[in-house]
């Protein structure tokens, strides 16, 4: 998926040619149409030119109306498929978030978790892994990727954008000819013919790996290799997860949570797989062939028909008529090629939906729940405003707190490397050594207290005492 900003008149979007643009696919046909117009003007004799002219342009109006209807019909259908796929994908992501958070909250009520026993850490590590594996295999099925080598372990310190552009990645030497052609002609050929090149999709998947919490074992790979399709792999991983949770519920690993509440968390797991199945339906059910065939014929007919129309109407300038022919075909065919790309929302990058980002964000959700499972207690950084004039009279009431809060958020985002370097060990225990992060948070909240005490607002902690420790007892 391409992120872009809306500048004046969209000029920044207009000049984007090789990254997700329909220009390379539409320009060859549009050039052929303009050349055909010049052929009509320069090659034919005067008698032939008169024979080729149409007495009234409405004679071709019916044809162009039918062609325009088919193009708009396919474009609307394509956008509907994209919107439906995005809705189902984000439904799967949201329900998976809900499920993992609720099961984690249930387990937090057990004595093993409260006392920090290794049994609890091992259970959480396996739970995170199975849930993450289910989501990753679902994303693999959506992009029709059958190579399990494209699954890698999740690394919290790695910075990855949720919307990855195709030609913005680091590609090993020897594969640039597939992945990042340099010359203009090669780039034009790459952009225009990527849809028909399986090699490009294989390289794209190989360099856009999906992350799994804890990685994937050889035994799991061997079991998944026996599945007939990527969809079966995702369903098998979901069965592993369901069996694991059912056994945990019987063993008391979910605490004393009432069964109706536990069943609701199971429902979120099921809802996530329903979203996956609906998104997969968009992948496996293509645009009907019988309509695509007649639509292709109608679009191809534009190449000779548009020059004939402009040859009959535009008589003042040969080049003006050729330019009109080129521009008309560019717009019609460009819209049609855009529809062909968009109607497969997981297939053709970089206009595909961000499956890599979905997997990354899901694992980041697990990481956040593992490091900060309970809301820290302590002094709030902003005092409540009783009247609007309080803000006008005491601007430091907001400025100081926001500055301190921004520093805390910034510290928590950039110091992951420091945290991991101070005892990060996920493979053995499944949890992160959170003490460095907690100490950073204590230091920053102490700074906030200092700012409040010295600021113009006079905000003080309760009873004038020190800033309370923001961490629950179970996390110290």
């Amino acid at each position: 998926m391409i992120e872009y900003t809306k500048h004046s008149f969209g000029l920044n979007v207009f000049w984007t040619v090789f990254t997700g643009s329909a220009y390379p696919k539409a320009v060859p046909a549009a050039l052929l149409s303009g050349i055909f117009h010049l052929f009509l003007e320069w090659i034919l004799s005067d008698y032939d030119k008169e024979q080729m002219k149409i007495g009234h342009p409405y004679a071709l109006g019916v044809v162009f109306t039918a062609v325009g209807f088919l193009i708009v019909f396919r474009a609307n259908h394509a956008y509907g498929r994209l919107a439906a796929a995005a809705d189902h994908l984000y439904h799967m992501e949201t329900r998976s978030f809900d499920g993992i958070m609720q099961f984690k909250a249930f387990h937090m009520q057990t004595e093993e978790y409260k006392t920090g026993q290794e049994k609890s850490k091992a259970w959480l590590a396996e739970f995170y892994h199975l849930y993450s594996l289910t989501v990753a295999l679902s994303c693999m099925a959506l992009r029709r990727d059958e190579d399990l080598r494209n699954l890698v372990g999740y690394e919290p310190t790695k910075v990855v954008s949720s919307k990855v552009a195709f030609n913005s990645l680091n590609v090993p030497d020897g594969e640039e000819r597939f992945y990042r052609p340099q010359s203009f002609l090669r780039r034009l050929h790459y952009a225009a013919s990527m849809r028909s090149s399986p090699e490009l999709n294989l390289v794209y998947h190989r360099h856009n790996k999906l992350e799994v919490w804890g990685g994937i074992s050889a035994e799991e790979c061997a079991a998944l290799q026996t599945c007939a399709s990527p969809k079966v792999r995702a369903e098998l991983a979901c069965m592993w997860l369901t069996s694991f949770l059912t056994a945990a519920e019987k063993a008391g690993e979910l605490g004393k949570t009432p069964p109706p509440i536990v069943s609701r968390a199971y429902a979120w797991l099921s809802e996530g797989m329903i979203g996956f199945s609906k998104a997969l339906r968009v992948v496996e059910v293509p645009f009907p062939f019988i309509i695509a065939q007649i639509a292709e014929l109608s679009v191809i007919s534009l190449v000779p028909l548009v020059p004939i129309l402009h040859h009959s109407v535009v008589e003042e300038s040969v080049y003006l008529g050729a330019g009109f022919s080129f521009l008309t075909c560019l717009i019609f065919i460009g819209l049609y090629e855009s529809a062909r790309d968009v109607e497969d929302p997981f297939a053709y990058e970089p206009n595909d939906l961000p499956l890599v980002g979905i997997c990354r964000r899901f694992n980041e959700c697990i990481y956040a729940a593992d490091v900060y499972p309970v809301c820290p207690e302590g002094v709030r950084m902003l005092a409540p405003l009783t009247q609007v004039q309080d803000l006008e009279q005491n601007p430091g009431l907001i400025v100081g707190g926001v500055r301190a809060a921004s520093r805390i958020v910034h510290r928590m985002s950039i110091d992951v490397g420091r945290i991991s370097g101070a005892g990060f060990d996920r493979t053995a225990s499944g949890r992160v050594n959170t003490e460095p992060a907690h100490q950073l948070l204590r230091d920053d909240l102490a700074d906030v207290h200092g700012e409040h005490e010295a600021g113009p607002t006079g905000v003080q902690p309760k009873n004038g005492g020190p800033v309370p420790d923001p961490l629950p007892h179970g996390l110290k």
Side-chain angles (χ1 to χ4, degrees):
M1 183 178 293
I2 301 175
E3 280 188 339
Y4 64 94
T5 56
K6 299 178 181 180
H7 294 172
S8 300
F9 306 104
L11 295 179
N12 61 315
V13 178
F14 177 78
W15 293 111
T16 303
V17 177
F18 294 107
T19 304
S21 173
Y23 291 156
K25 303 177 181 68
V27 165
L31 284 174
L32 186 60
S33 179
I35 292 173
F36 185 68
H37 183 94
L38 297 177
F39 170 80
L40 295 178
E41 292 290 342
W42 291 344
I43 303 300
L44 300 180
S45 62
D46 294 338
Y47 174 78
D48 294 331
K49 291 180 181 179
E50 292 297 326
Q51 291 294 108
M52 289 283 295
K53 287 185 177 180
I54 300 175
H56 202 286
Y58 289 169
L60 290 177
V62 177
V63 177
F64 289 132
T65 300
V67 173
F69 171 78
L70 284 173
I71 292 176
V72 172
F73 173 77
R74 186 160 191 178
N76 285 337
H77 184 270
Y79 184 76
R81 286 170 60 88
L82 175 66
D87 180 60
H88 301 325
L89 178 65
Y90 284 95
H91 181 83
M92 178 188 78
E93 179 194 29
T94 302
R95 292 314 184 199
S96 299
F97 285 166
D98 294 341
I100 201 167
M101 292 302 181
Q102 290 193 19
F103 280 116
K104 170 67 182 294
F106 299 159
H107 179 72
M108 288 172 59
Q109 311 310 313
T110 62
E111 291 298 328
E112 291 84 357
Y113 179 84
K114 293 179 180 179
T115 56
Q117 297 182 14
E118 291 297 326
K119 178 182 177 182
S120 173
K121 297 178 181 179
W123 187 91
L124 284 174
E126 185 66 13
F127 169 61
Y128 294 157
H129 167 72
L130 290 176
Y131 224 131
S132 178
L133 180 64
T134 302
V135 172
L137 290 174
S138 300
C139 292
M140 283 192 72
L142 292 177
R143 72 180 192 178
R144 298 180 178 180
D145 184 6
E146 299 184 1
D147 192 354
L148 291 175
R149 293 174 297 179
N150 294 332
L151 295 177
V152 296
Y154 168 68
E155 301 177 19
T157 57
K158 183 179 179 182
V159 179
V160 178
S161 173
S162 61
K163 298 178 176 61
V164 182
F166 185 83
N167 60 354
S168 66
L169 302 178
N170 295 323
V171 184
D173 295 337
E175 295 186 349
E176 291 85 352
R177 63 189 185 93
F178 292 118
Y179 207 73
R180 190 185 297 163
Q182 300 297 327
S183 66
F184 178 82
L185 293 179
R186 284 193 173 187
R187 294 181 71 186
L188 183 62
H189 177 267
Y190 145 76
S193 63
M194 184 191 66
R195 185 185 292 108
S196 60
S197 177
E199 294 85 358
L200 286 173
N201 287 331
L202 292 177
V203 175
Y204 177 62
H205 293 160
R206 189 157 60 247
H207 296 289
N208 287 268
K209 297 181 184 294
L210 302 171
E211 295 178 320
V212 178
W213 186 277
I216 183 170
S217 66
E219 292 76 13
E220 289 171 334
C221 284
L224 294 171
Q225 288 287 5
T226 62
C227 298
S229 67
K231 182 182 188 300
V232 178
R233 293 175 179 174
E235 296 290 352
L236 179 60
C238 182
M239 190 196 74
W240 292 346
L241 175 61
T242 305
S243 301
F244 175 79
L245 292 173
T246 303
E249 196 276 333
K250 290 185 177 181
E253 295 290 349
L254 302 182
K256 298 181 180 180
T257 308
I261 305 300
V262 176
S263 66
R264 191 57 184 168
Y266 276 100
W268 293 141
L269 173 60
S270 177
E271 287 279 341
M273 295 306 294
I274 290 174
F276 159 67
S277 298
K278 290 182 177 180
L280 190 64
R281 180 187 62 192
V282 177
V283 175
E284 295 183 345
V285 180
F287 186 79
F289 168 80
I290 192 170
I291 304 178
Q293 186 181 46
I294 195 66
E296 295 285 353
L297 176 62
S298 64
V299 171
I300 293 175
S301 67
L302 288 175
V303 175
L305 291 181
V306 169
I308 293 175
L309 176 62
H310 288 152
H311 170 74
S312 303
V313 177
V314 183
E315 300 181 353
E316 291 79 5
S317 172
V318 176
Y319 299 104
L320 184 61
F324 283 154
S325 299
F326 172 82
L327 185 60
T328 303
C329 285
L330 181 67
I331 294 174
F332 274 96
I333 298 176
L335 178 60
Y336 184 74
E337 291 293 334
S338 301
R340 292 181 66 197
D341 270 9
V342 170
E343 71 186 12
D344 292 321
F346 302 107
Y348 307 127
E349 62 73 35
N351 294 306
D352 56 347
L353 294 176
L355 294 176
V356 176
I358 293 294
C359 278
R360 178 71 185 182
R361 188 160 54 190
F362 182 78
N363 287 292
E364 288 174 347
C365 176
I366 298 177
Y367 178 76
D370 191 58
V371 177
Y372 296 103
V374 180
C375 180
E377 299 176 357
V379 180
R380 302 306 180 202
M381 290 178 289
L382 300 181
L385 295 178
T386 56
Q387 296 181 357
V388 178
Q389 55 266 30
D390 290 345
L391 179 61
E392 299 176 354
Q393 297 173 0
N394 300 310
L397 185 65
I398 294 296
V399 174
V402 170
R403 185 170 60 250
S406 300
R407 188 174 64 252
I408 290 179
V409 173
H410 181 65
R411 175 75 65 84
M412 293 172 65
S413 63
I414 68 174
D415 280 345
V416 178
R418 290 174 52 192
I419 296 171
S420 62
F424 181 79
D425 181 11
R426 184 170 302 282
T427 304
S429 64
R431 297 188 67 187
V432 177
N433 177 15
T434 58
E435 181 57 31
H438 299 160
Q439 187 58 45
L440 292 175
L441 187 58
R442 292 190 187 98
D443 296 342
D444 283 329
L445 285 177
D447 294 342
V448 172
H449 166 56
E451 286 187 5
H452 285 176
E453 190 174 18
T457 61
V459 179
Q460 300 287 342
K462 293 181 180 180
N463 302 324
V467 178
D469 194 328
L471 303 176
H473 294 289
L475 298 179
K476 295 181 181 178

